[in-house]
Amino acid sequence: MLISFEKKILFIHIPKNAGTSLKNLLSPFCLFPYHSRMNERLNRPFTYAERHFKLHIHKRILYINSPEGIKIGMINADSLHHAKATDLQRILGNKLFNSLFKFAFVRNPWAKEVSDYEYIKRSKEHPVYPLIHSRSLSFEQYLEWKIQKGNNQSPQLSYIADRNNNLLIDFVGKVENINQDIKKLSKLMNLELEELPKLNSRKQSCGYQELYNSHSKKLVEQLHKNELELFDYSF
């Protein structure tokens, strides 16, 4: 997540969707969450449940009911790094949330699932890392596990839409068209954005299509059904 109260913009960071490059591009204009001693101090008065559901951030804003208080609450909240639009709507309140120009980038679901799986396999700090390695889950088994979790909302839509899949943001760009969409954003936000740097990206040794069979392809179709229809993606 990146936010600017001055420019009135809010970037929702969907994981593994060129977020590092976008943050580098937008950070001169925005505030963004980070770990700090201030964050630890502000967390202490709140229970685990309040912290888990991000209610402590909302309370910070209520305690310091001013634009500056909102800034303090937001920038000292590392749990908002990949915050969803529904969380931010609740934390900021409808009036402030609606006053911001909100945007995010989505990615071809078949390519994204491959990228997510490879990232988790090499990231020991990721919460799913032990599951994949302890069970030696193949890519196909990983997709089956995600379906068994029973989340009815498409993974990327969960970041930018409500439970009924109504979009809560104003602009959805595509990673595949990122340079063209950055130009559109520059005009919409009235910002002079430089060429997008390529950071934190890894090249696959082969095209993502080669990693699928008919079954795993259908698993992604099941997981991302609403996204495929809404954003017009194909294999």
Side-chain angles (χ1 to χ4, degrees), residues 52-66:
H52 178 73
F53 291 106
K54 302 180 176 64
L55 298 179
H56 63 300
I57 302 162
H58 184 58
K59 286 188 175 183
R60 290 176 189 166
I61 295 170
L62 293 178
Y63 287 161
I64 316 172
N65 190 15
S66 66

Side-chain angles (χ1 to χ4, degrees), residues 38 42 60 64 67-77:
M38 178 68 76
L42 288 170
R60 290 176 189 166
I64 316 172
E68 192 61 33
I70 293 173
K71 290 181 183 180
I72 292 172
M74 297 295 283
I75 66 175
N76 290 294

Side-chain angles (χ1 to χ4, degrees), residues 5-117:
F5 297 101
E6 179 183 354
K7 302 294 183 182
K8 293 190 176 299
I9 59 177
L10 174 62
F11 168 57
I12 308 292
H13 182 183
I14 302 175
K16 304 306 294 174
N17 284 10
T20 301
S21 296
L22 287 161
K23 283 171 60 180
N24 187 71
L25 183 70
L26 295 164
S27 58
F29 310 101
C30 300
L31 301 168
F32 58 95
Y34 63 101
H35 291 275
S36 68
R37 291 182 181 178
M38 178 68 76
N39 189 43
E40 293 177 4
R41 291 177 182 176
L42 288 170
N43 276 344
R44 284 178 186 171
F46 305 106
T47 66
Y48 172 80
E50 288 175 325
R51 296 196 302 275
H52 178 73
F53 291 106
K54 302 180 176 64
L55 298 179
H56 63 300
I57 302 162
H58 184 58
K59 286 188 175 183
R60 290 176 189 166
I61 295 170
L62 293 178
Y63 287 161
I64 316 172
N65 190 15
S66 66
E68 192 61 33
I70 293 173
K71 290 181 183 180
I72 292 172
M74 297 295 283
I75 66 175
N76 290 294
D78 53 277
S79 59
L80 292 182
H81 180 62
H82 289 300
K84 297 181 177 181
T86 50
D87 289 328
L88 294 168
Q89 185 180 43
R90 183 180 69 251
I91 291 165
L92 293 171
N94 286 329
K95 184 177 180 180
L96 179 54
F97 182 81
N98 292 334
S99 72
L100 300 171
F101 178 79
K102 302 165 288 292
F103 62 100
F105 277 78
V106 295
R107 185 178 181 183
N108 182 301
W110 285 283
K112 179 171 173 55
E113 287 295 349
V114 170
S115 177
D116 287 352
Y117 175 72

Side-chain angles (χ1 to χ4, degrees), residues 100-154:
L100 300 171
F101 178 79
K102 302 165 288 292
F103 62 100
F105 277 78
V106 295
R107 185 178 181 183
N108 182 301
W110 285 283
K112 179 171 173 55
E113 287 295 349
V114 170
S115 177
D116 287 352
Y117 175 72
E118 294 298 330
Y119 174 76
I120 294 171
K121 281 203 308 181
R122 64 176 183 270
S123 302
K124 292 183 178 181
E125 70 280 2
H126 196 284
V128 184
Y129 175 92
L131 176 74
I132 287 181
H133 287 273
S134 63
R135 298 187 187 179
S136 300
L137 294 185
S138 66
F139 176 56
E140 189 171 310
Q141 290 170 327
Y142 163 73
L143 294 174
E144 290 172 339
W145 169 78
K146 290 187 73 171
I147 290 174
Q148 290 171 2
K149 287 173 61 181
N151 189 344
N152 294 323
Q153 192 171 31
S154 296

